[in-house]
Amino acid sequence: MILFEEPLKKAIIVNRRNRFVMDVLVDDLLAPCHCPVTGRIGDIIFENIPCLVSETYDSNRKTHFTVEAISVDGEQWIGINQGRVNDYVEAFLLENQLDAFSTPRGIKREIVIEGARIDFQIDGIFMEVKAPLSELLTIPLPHFKRRRLKRPIETERLIRHLHALISTLPQTGRAVLLYVFLYDAPIYTGNSNRKQDHLIRQLINDAIPSGLEIWQLNCTISPEGIRLLRCFDTTSHFK
């Protein structure tokens, strides 16, 4: 388990003010909190949503808290801090907990290839990490309001990173696309509603025979820390 420096606090999101700030009831006081996801988080309207927040003592920060996780059923926490996902992945690698790289010896982060910044190079093999949140793979209870689902806009970033990752295959013979969920998600095979989904699936499918692998990492988040549930190969689901 990866322990937080301090346990997270339970709180309630009153509303999402904008892309960067949520108004949260913390210790019975309403406080502006940093939202670490600038895009859409599922199709949730953020009104009275349970959450976990971390506290910062950096005087330069405009917000004193960061929303780390939310709950749509009052039981399961869904981690939303995408900015910390690579740190969690590295910690699991160092503890030999990722089956995709069972005993890594050399780990490098953020390697630039063809103008794209690939997240990891592990023993010479490149790995890109994605933590999807525009679609939550869980069903909210009926008393939660839900925004009418819109087709999520797929940025060019994923396509650019895929091209860069695939370009390493002639030299390495293996590359890994790792989807990370800070909750216990079912097998993820992409989002058919996203723009250019067909192109993304085709890129992946065409590269699998050359050594591209797709893996999924499921974790659980609690006030105390992050625990790895399972890391499994999902390549066959993309063929």
Side-chain angles (χ1 to χ4, degrees), residues 143-156:
H143 68 271
F144 282 94
K145 295 182 180 179
R146 304 184 70 185
R147 180 181 290 112
R148 185 177 180 180
L149 185 63
K150 298 180 179 178
R151 293 177 67 86
I153 298 173
E154 182 63 51
T155 65
E156 297 298 322

Side-chain angles (χ1 to χ4, degrees), residues 1 36 107 118:
M1 186 178 198
I107 301 171
I118 301 299

Side-chain angles (χ1 to χ4, degrees), residues 10-198:
K10 293 184 179 180
I12 299 291
I13 300 171
V14 176
N15 70 282
R16 185 174 184 177
R17 188 188 304 181
N18 54 45
R19 293 167 60 199
F20 308 101
V21 178
M22 290 176 165
D23 293 316
V24 179
L25 197 61
V26 185
D27 296 332
D28 295 324
L29 295 174
L30 192 63
C33 297
H34 172 58
C35 176
V37 184
T38 57
R40 188 164 59 84
I41 305 172
D43 57 349
I44 299 173
I45 294 177
F46 283 95
E47 295 176 357
N48 299 319
I49 301 294
C51 70
L52 297 175
V53 299
S54 61
E55 191 169 3
T56 181
Y57 302 98
D58 185 351
S59 59
N60 295 320
R61 280 276 304 271
K62 293 182 179 180
T63 53
H64 190 58
F65 298 97
T66 295
V67 178
E68 299 286 347
I70 62 171
S71 177
V72 294
D73 61 5
E75 297 180 5
Q76 178 182 210
W77 293 111
I78 298 172
I80 65 169
N81 196 338
Q82 293 170 317
R84 300 185 68 178
V85 166
N86 283 3
D87 292 335
Y88 301 148
V89 169
E90 182 175 21
F92 289 136
L93 282 167
L94 292 172
E95 294 177 0
N96 298 330
Q97 292 192 51
L98 291 194
D99 290 343
F101 296 94
S102 55
T103 55
R105 297 180 299 277
I107 301 171
K108 297 180 182 179
R109 288 180 60 168
E110 298 191 349
I111 302 91
V112 176
I113 299 173
E114 295 189 348
R117 198 177 297 275
I118 301 299
D119 292 313
F120 287 93
Q121 185 181 23
I122 306 159
D123 299 336
I125 304 302
F126 293 91
M127 180 171 73
E128 178 66 12
V129 176
K130 298 297 179 187
L133 281 172
S134 62
E135 179 189 26
L136 296 181
L137 307 181
T138 184
I139 302 174
L141 294 179
H143 68 271
F144 282 94
K145 295 182 180 179
R146 304 184 70 185
R147 180 181 290 112
R148 185 177 180 180
L149 185 63
K150 298 180 179 178
R151 293 177 67 86
I153 298 173
E154 182 63 51
T155 65
E156 297 298 322
R157 190 168 183 266
L158 173 57
I159 295 174
R160 186 171 68 251
H161 283 189
L162 271 175
H163 278 297
L165 190 65
I166 291 167
S167 74
T168 68
L169 288 172
Q171 291 76 39
T172 63
R174 185 189 184 214
V176 174
L177 175 61
L178 178 68
Y179 284 109
V180 177
F181 296 90
L182 301 182
Y183 62 100
D184 193 13
I187 293 173
Y188 179 73
T189 59
N191 186 343
S192 60
N193 285 320
R194 64 188 170 186
K195 187 179 178 181
Q196 303 190 64
D197 180 71
H198 178 74

